[in-house]
PDB file of all heavy atoms in Angstrom:
ATOM      1  N   ARG B 224       7.558 -12.210  29.733  1.00 96.00           N
ATOM      2  CA  ARG B 224       8.540 -13.291  29.588  1.00 96.00           C
ATOM      3  C   ARG B 224       8.358 -14.000  28.243  1.00 96.00           C
ATOM      4  O   ARG B 224       9.335 -14.340  27.578  1.00 96.00           O
ATOM      5  CB  ARG B 224       8.388 -14.290  30.742  1.00 96.00           C
ATOM      6  CG  ARG B 224       8.914 -13.775  32.084  1.00 96.00           C
ATOM      7  CD  ARG B 224       9.001 -14.895  33.119  1.00 96.00           C
ATOM      8  NE  ARG B 224       7.687 -15.374  33.534  1.00 96.00           N
ATOM      9  CZ  ARG B 224       6.961 -14.859  34.525  1.00 96.00           C
ATOM     10  NH1 ARG B 224       7.425 -13.821  35.215  1.00 96.00           N
ATOM     11  NH2 ARG B 224       5.770 -15.348  34.835  1.00 96.00           N
ATOM     12  N   ILE B 225       7.095 -14.203  27.850  1.00 95.00           N
ATOM     13  CA  ILE B 225       6.830 -14.833  26.548  1.00 95.00           C
ATOM     14  C   ILE B 225       7.369 -13.955  25.421  1.00 95.00           C
ATOM     15  O   ILE B 225       8.032 -14.424  24.494  1.00 95.00           O
ATOM     16  CB  ILE B 225       5.317 -15.076  26.365  1.00 95.00           C
ATOM     17  CG1 ILE B 225       4.839 -16.167  27.332  1.00 95.00           C
ATOM     18  CG2 ILE B 225       4.998 -15.466  24.917  1.00 95.00           C
ATOM     19  CD1 ILE B 225       3.330 -16.361  27.345  1.00 95.00           C
ATOM     20  N   LYS B 226       7.103 -12.678  25.524  1.00 92.00           N
ATOM     21  CA  LYS B 226       7.521 -11.744  24.475  1.00 92.00           C
ATOM     22  C   LYS B 226       9.046 -11.727  24.342  1.00 92.00           C
ATOM     23  O   LYS B 226       9.584 -11.592  23.233  1.00 92.00           O
ATOM     24  CB  LYS B 226       7.008 -10.340  24.821  1.00 92.00           C
ATOM     25  CG  LYS B 226       7.290  -9.272  23.783  1.00 92.00           C
ATOM     26  CD  LYS B 226       6.334  -9.363  22.628  1.00 92.00           C
ATOM     27  CE  LYS B 226       6.529  -8.200  21.654  1.00 92.00           C
ATOM     28  NZ  LYS B 226       5.749  -8.397  20.433  1.00 92.00           N
ATOM     29  N   ALA B 227       9.736 -11.878  25.461  1.00 92.00           N
ATOM     30  CA  ALA B 227      11.202 -11.809  25.444  1.00 92.00           C
ATOM     31  C   ALA B 227      11.849 -13.120  25.028  1.00 92.00           C
ATOM     32  O   ALA B 227      13.034 -13.145  24.665  1.00 92.00           O
ATOM     33  CB  ALA B 227      11.707 -11.403  26.827  1.00 92.00           C
ATOM     34  N   ALA B 228      11.093 -14.208  25.069  1.00 93.00           N
ATOM     35  CA  ALA B 228      11.674 -15.525  24.787  1.00 93.00           C
ATOM     36  C   ALA B 228      11.852 -15.744  23.285  1.00 93.00           C
ATOM     37  O   ALA B 228      11.087 -15.233  22.473  1.00 93.00           O
ATOM     38  CB  ALA B 228      10.764 -16.611  25.354  1.00 93.00           C
ATOM     39  N   LEU B 229      12.855 -16.527  22.928  1.00 89.00           N
ATOM     40  CA  LEU B 229      13.062 -16.858  21.516  1.00 89.00           C
ATOM     41  C   LEU B 229      11.865 -17.604  20.949  1.00 89.00           C
ATOM     42  O   LEU B 229      11.473 -17.400  19.807  1.00 89.00           O
ATOM     43  CB  LEU B 229      14.321 -17.705  21.349  1.00 89.00           C
ATOM     44  CG  LEU B 229      15.643 -16.943  21.363  1.00 89.00           C
ATOM     45  CD1 LEU B 229      16.801 -17.917  21.278  1.00 89.00           C
ATOM     46  CD2 LEU B 229      15.711 -15.932  20.232  1.00 89.00           C
ATOM     47  N   SER B 230      11.294 -18.476  21.765  1.00 89.00           N
ATOM     48  CA  SER B 230      10.074 -19.174  21.368  1.00 89.00           C
ATOM     49  C   SER B 230       9.041 -19.023  22.468  1.00 89.00           C
ATOM     50  O   SER B 230       9.340 -19.288  23.638  1.00 89.00           O
ATOM     51  CB  SER B 230      10.341 -20.659  21.127  1.00 89.00           C
ATOM     52  OG  SER B 230       9.100 -21.345  21.013  1.00 89.00           O
ATOM     53  N   PRO B 231       7.822 -18.618  22.130  1.00 90.00           N
ATOM     54  CA  PRO B 231       6.793 -18.473  23.164  1.00 90.00           C
ATOM     55  C   PRO B 231       6.418 -19.796  23.819  1.00 90.00           C
ATOM     56  O   PRO B 231       5.866 -19.810  24.916  1.00 90.00           O
ATOM     57  CB  PRO B 231       5.606 -17.880  22.392  1.00 90.00           C
ATOM     58  CG  PRO B 231       5.851 -18.246  20.969  1.00 90.00           C
ATOM     59  CD  PRO B 231       7.333 -18.269  20.792  1.00 90.00           C
ATOM     60  N   ASN B 232       6.756 -20.905  23.153  1.00 86.00           N
ATOM     61  CA  ASN B 232       6.361 -22.214  23.671  1.00 86.00           C
ATOM     62  C   ASN B 232       7.266 -22.720  24.790  1.00 86.00           C
ATOM     63  O   ASN B 232       6.981 -23.745  25.402  1.00 86.00           O
ATOM     64  CB  ASN B 232       6.349 -23.237  22.530  1.00 86.00           C
ATOM     65  CG  ASN B 232       5.419 -22.808  21.413  1.00 86.00           C
ATOM     66  OD1 ASN B 232       4.374 -22.209  21.663  1.00 86.00           O
ATOM     67  ND2 ASN B 232       5.802 -23.073  20.178  1.00 86.00           N
ATOM     68  N   THR B 233       8.372 -22.021  25.025  1.00 89.00           N
ATOM     69  CA  THR B 233       9.323 -22.496  26.028  1.00 89.00           C
ATOM     70  C   THR B 233       9.074 -21.885  27.404  1.00 89.00           C
ATOM     71  O   THR B 233       9.760 -22.239  28.360  1.00 89.00           O
ATOM     72  CB  THR B 233      10.757 -22.142  25.596  1.00 89.00           C
ATOM     73  OG1 THR B 233      10.866 -20.711  25.488  1.00 89.00           O
ATOM     74  CG2 THR B 233      11.109 -22.789  24.263  1.00 89.00           C
ATOM     75  N   VAL B 234       8.128 -20.988  27.497  1.00 92.00           N
ATOM     76  CA  VAL B 234       7.916 -20.259  28.748  1.00 92.00           C
ATOM     77  C   VAL B 234       6.802 -20.920  29.564  1.00 92.00           C
ATOM     78  O   VAL B 234       5.686 -21.090  29.076  1.00 92.00           O
ATOM     79  CB  VAL B 234       7.549 -18.786  28.461  1.00 92.00           C
ATOM     80  CG1 VAL B 234       7.384 -18.020  29.769  1.00 92.00           C
ATOM     81  CG2 VAL B 234       8.616 -18.143  27.590  1.00 92.00           C
ATOM     82  N   GLU B 235       7.133 -21.284  30.781  1.00 93.00           N
ATOM     83  CA  GLU B 235       6.127 -21.876  31.660  1.00 93.00           C
ATOM     84  C   GLU B 235       5.649 -20.827  32.655  1.00 93.00           C
ATOM     85  O   GLU B 235       6.361 -19.874  32.968  1.00 93.00           O
ATOM     86  CB  GLU B 235       6.719 -23.085  32.390  1.00 93.00           C
ATOM     87  CG  GLU B 235       7.066 -24.227  31.442  1.00 93.00           C
ATOM     88  CD  GLU B 235       7.533 -25.464  32.188  1.00 93.00           C
ATOM     89  OE1 GLU B 235       7.628 -25.400  33.441  1.00 93.00           O
ATOM     90  OE2 GLU B 235       7.806 -26.476  31.523  1.00 93.00           O
ATOM     91  N   GLY B 236       4.453 -21.034  33.172  1.00 93.00           N
ATOM     92  CA  GLY B 236       3.928 -20.086  34.152  1.00 93.00           C
ATOM     93  C   GLY B 236       2.492 -19.749  33.850  1.00 93.00           C
ATOM     94  O   GLY B 236       1.857 -20.376  32.986  1.00 93.00           O
ATOM     95  N   ALA B 237       1.966 -18.768  34.539  1.00 93.00           N
ATOM     96  CA  ALA B 237       0.561 -18.392  34.374  1.00 93.00           C
ATOM     97  C   ALA B 237       0.451 -16.884  34.201  1.00 93.00           C
ATOM     98  O   ALA B 237       1.287 -16.119  34.701  1.00 93.00           O
ATOM     99  CB  ALA B 237      -0.239 -18.841  35.592  1.00 93.00           C
ATOM    100  N   HIS B 238      -0.578 -16.485  33.487  1.00 96.00           N
ATOM    101  CA  HIS B 238      -0.817 -15.052  33.275  1.00 96.00           C
ATOM    102  C   HIS B 238      -1.299 -14.385  34.561  1.00 96.00           C
ATOM    103  O   HIS B 238      -1.972 -15.013  35.397  1.00 96.00           O
ATOM    104  CB  HIS B 238      -1.882 -14.852  32.186  1.00 96.00           C
ATOM    105  CG  HIS B 238      -1.445 -15.269  30.825  1.00 96.00           C
ATOM    106  ND1 HIS B 238      -0.477 -14.601  30.108  1.00 96.00           N
ATOM    107  CD2 HIS B 238      -1.837 -16.301  30.040  1.00 96.00           C
ATOM    108  CE1 HIS B 238      -0.301 -15.193  28.945  1.00 96.00           C
ATOM    109  NE2 HIS B 238      -1.117 -16.234  28.875  1.00 96.00           N
ATOM    110  N   ASP B 239      -0.946 -13.108  34.712  1.00 96.00           N
ATOM    111  CA  ASP B 239      -1.567 -12.289  35.754  1.00 96.00           C
ATOM    112  C   ASP B 239      -2.925 -11.868  35.203  1.00 96.00           C
ATOM    113  O   ASP B 239      -2.983 -11.157  34.197  1.00 96.00           O
ATOM    114  CB  ASP B 239      -0.745 -11.030  36.017  1.00 96.00           C
ATOM    115  CG  ASP B 239       0.698 -11.358  36.376  1.00 96.00           C
ATOM    116  OD1 ASP B 239       0.913 -12.408  37.003  1.00 96.00           O
ATOM    117  OD2 ASP B 239       1.596 -10.569  36.020  1.00 96.00           O
ATOM    118  N   THR B 240      -3.982 -12.304  35.823  1.00 97.00           N
ATOM    119  CA  THR B 240      -5.314 -11.998  35.289  1.00 97.00           C
ATOM    120  C   THR B 240      -6.206 -11.366  36.352  1.00 97.00           C
ATOM    121  O   THR B 240      -5.909 -11.413  37.548  1.00 97.00           O
ATOM    122  CB  THR B 240      -6.026 -13.267  34.765  1.00 97.00           C
ATOM    123  OG1 THR B 240      -6.472 -14.043  35.885  1.00 97.00           O
ATOM    124  CG2 THR B 240      -5.108 -14.099  33.888  1.00 97.00           C
ATOM    125  N   LEU B 241      -7.303 -10.816  35.904  1.00 98.00           N
ATOM    126  CA  LEU B 241      -8.304 -10.264  36.819  1.00 98.00           C
ATOM    127  C   LEU B 241      -9.172 -11.362  37.411  1.00 98.00           C
ATOM    128  O   LEU B 241      -9.941 -11.114  38.349  1.00 98.00           O
ATOM    129  CB  LEU B 241      -9.183  -9.252  36.078  1.00 98.00           C
ATOM    130  CG  LEU B 241      -8.477  -7.957  35.652  1.00 98.00           C
ATOM    131  CD1 LEU B 241      -9.332  -7.175  34.665  1.00 98.00           C
ATOM    132  CD2 LEU B 241      -8.165  -7.104  36.875  1.00 98.00           C
ATOM    133  N   GLY B 242      -9.102 -12.561  36.845  1.00 97.00           N
ATOM    134  CA  GLY B 242      -9.830 -13.702  37.399  1.00 97.00           C
ATOM    135  C   GLY B 242     -11.294 -13.774  36.999  1.00 97.00           C
ATOM    136  O   GLY B 242     -12.049 -14.580  37.546  1.00 97.00           O
ATOM    137  N   THR B 243     -11.692 -12.974  36.033  1.00 97.00           N
ATOM    138  CA  THR B 243     -13.102 -12.973  35.630  1.00 97.00           C
ATOM    139  C   THR B 243     -13.365 -13.849  34.404  1.00 97.00           C
ATOM    140  O   THR B 243     -14.516 -14.151  34.111  1.00 97.00           O
ATOM    141  CB  THR B 243     -13.582 -11.548  35.309  1.00 97.00           C
ATOM    142  OG1 THR B 243     -12.681 -10.973  34.358  1.00 97.00           O
ATOM    143  CG2 THR B 243     -13.606 -10.696  36.563  1.00 97.00           C
ATOM    144  N   LEU B 244     -12.319 -14.217  33.684  1.00 98.00           N
ATOM    145  CA  LEU B 244     -12.478 -15.057  32.489  1.00 98.00           C
ATOM    146  C   LEU B 244     -11.958 -16.456  32.767  1.00 98.00           C
ATOM    147  O   LEU B 244     -11.166 -16.661  33.702  1.00 98.00           O
ATOM    148  CB  LEU B 244     -11.692 -14.459  31.309  1.00 98.00           C
ATOM    149  CG  LEU B 244     -11.966 -13.010  30.924  1.00 98.00           C
ATOM    150  CD1 LEU B 244     -11.093 -12.601  29.752  1.00 98.00           C
ATOM    151  CD2 LEU B 244     -13.434 -12.792  30.611  1.00 98.00           C
ATOM    152  N   GLY B 245     -12.368 -17.403  31.949  1.00 96.00           N
ATOM    153  CA  GLY B 245     -11.790 -18.726  32.023  1.00 96.00           C
ATOM    154  C   GLY B 245     -10.329 -18.685  31.602  1.00 96.00           C
ATOM    155  O   GLY B 245      -9.882 -17.726  30.944  1.00 96.00           O
ATOM    156  N   ALA B 246      -9.567 -19.724  31.954  1.00 96.00           N
ATOM    157  CA  ALA B 246      -8.128 -19.738  31.667  1.00 96.00           C
ATOM    158  C   ALA B 246      -7.846 -19.632  30.166  1.00 96.00           C
ATOM    159  O   ALA B 246      -6.933 -18.911  29.738  1.00 96.00           O
ATOM    160  CB  ALA B 246      -7.511 -21.007  32.235  1.00 96.00           C
ATOM    161  N   ALA B 247      -8.607 -20.344  29.359  1.00 97.00           N
ATOM    162  CA  ALA B 247      -8.359 -20.311  27.918  1.00 97.00           C
ATOM    163  C   ALA B 247      -8.741 -18.949  27.326  1.00 97.00           C
ATOM    164  O   ALA B 247      -8.035 -18.422  26.461  1.00 97.00           O
ATOM    165  CB  ALA B 247      -9.139 -21.422  27.225  1.00 97.00           C
ATOM    166  N   GLN B 248      -9.848 -18.394  27.794  1.00 98.00           N
ATOM    167  CA  GLN B 248     -10.227 -17.051  27.314  1.00 98.00           C
ATOM    168  C   GLN B 248      -9.158 -16.031  27.692  1.00 98.00           C
ATOM    169  O   GLN B 248      -8.815 -15.147  26.895  1.00 98.00           O
ATOM    170  CB  GLN B 248     -11.570 -16.634  27.911  1.00 98.00           C
ATOM    171  CG  GLN B 248     -12.770 -17.377  27.347  1.00 98.00           C
ATOM    172  CD  GLN B 248     -14.063 -16.898  27.978  1.00 98.00           C
ATOM    173  OE1 GLN B 248     -14.090 -16.538  29.153  1.00 98.00           O
ATOM    174  NE2 GLN B 248     -15.138 -16.919  27.204  1.00 98.00           N
ATOM    175  N   ALA B 249      -8.629 -16.142  28.902  1.00 98.00           N
ATOM    176  CA  ALA B 249      -7.594 -15.209  29.346  1.00 98.00           C
ATOM    177  C   ALA B 249      -6.328 -15.366  28.506  1.00 98.00           C
ATOM    178  O   ALA B 249      -5.698 -14.378  28.102  1.00 98.00           O
ATOM    179  CB  ALA B 249      -7.287 -15.427  30.830  1.00 98.00           C
TER     180      ALA B 249
END
Side-chain angles (χ1 to χ4, degrees):
Chain B
R224 286 192 291 272
I225 291 173
K226 184 78 174 171
L229 280 176
S230 168
N232 302 325
T233 61
V234 182
E235 294 185 357
H238 293 291
D239 304 327
T240 75
L241 292 167
T243 53
L244 306 180
Q248 288 181 326

